[in-house]
Amino acid sequence: MSWYMINNYLNIFYTDVVGLSGVAISAIVLIARIWDAVNDTMMGQIADRTNSRWGRFRPYLMFAPPVLAIFNILTFTVFPVQGMLKIILCAVCYIGAGMAYTACSIAYQALLNVIAIDSRVRQILATAILFT
């Protein structure tokens, strides 16, 4: 739900509250999407290679959500700076939130394949998760 809040209200927040221009917001989102394309594949590889006492994906489900909460708060924070520093801070917070969300979602989505071997059971679990 937090990612939907960012996707739905961030442009309004950045223009009306923070005072960024549309060009600056577009540049932030463009850079974030390019980085996200790289970051998703890296996070998948990192999660697949993780060997911990909690398993491969559980550490990301335990430790990434607090980081995501912090970056969500920072993303909707108005920093008392001006000019390019304001744009850089907004970009860092938005990209950080995206990276934390990637860590949560990649691990969460990978759990279905680890929990059940049978594709029918995975389908039932995916449907149950979708509607809860």
Side-chain angles (χ1 to χ4, degrees):
M1 286 178 50
S2 66
W3 193 246
Y4 291 117
M5 182 180 71
I6 288 175
N7 283 338
N8 289 330
Y9 298 112
L10 192 65
N11 286 337
I12 296 167
F13 177 76
Y14 277 169
T15 55
D16 295 347
V17 178
V18 177
L20 294 179
S21 68
V23 173
I25 297 169
S26 297
I28 289 170
V29 172
L30 176 67
I31 292 167
R33 290 297 141 241
I34 291 171
W35 172 246
D36 193 46
V38 174
N39 183 43
D40 285 352
T41 56
M42 286 181 4
M43 185 61 213
Q45 290 176 355
I46 291 169
D48 278 341
R49 294 180 180 150
T50 298
N51 291 317
S52 72
R53 64 179 179 181
W54 298 297
R56 284 191 293 178
F57 305 114
R58 194 176 306 152
Y60 301 104
L61 294 174
M62 293 184 338
F63 301 117
V67 175
L68 177 60
I70 290 168
F71 273 108
N72 282 343
I73 292 168
L74 290 175
T75 300
F76 285 100
T77 300
V78 180
F79 297 101
V81 294
Q82 296 297 321
M84 186 60 78
L85 186 57
K86 182 187 286 189
I87 295 169
I88 292 170
L89 280 172
C90 290
V92 167
C93 292
Y94 180 63
I95 292 170
M99 290 174 64
Y101 178 75
T102 295
C104 294
S105 68
I106 293 291
Y108 185 71
Q109 293 167 5
L111 279 178
L112 282 178
N113 295 323
V114 175
I115 290 173
I117 296 171
D118 185 20
S119 63
R120 177 92 173 119
V121 174
R122 282 197 305 248
Q123 183 180 13
I124 291 169
L125 287 172
T127 304
I129 291 171
L130 182 65
F131 292 111
T132 57

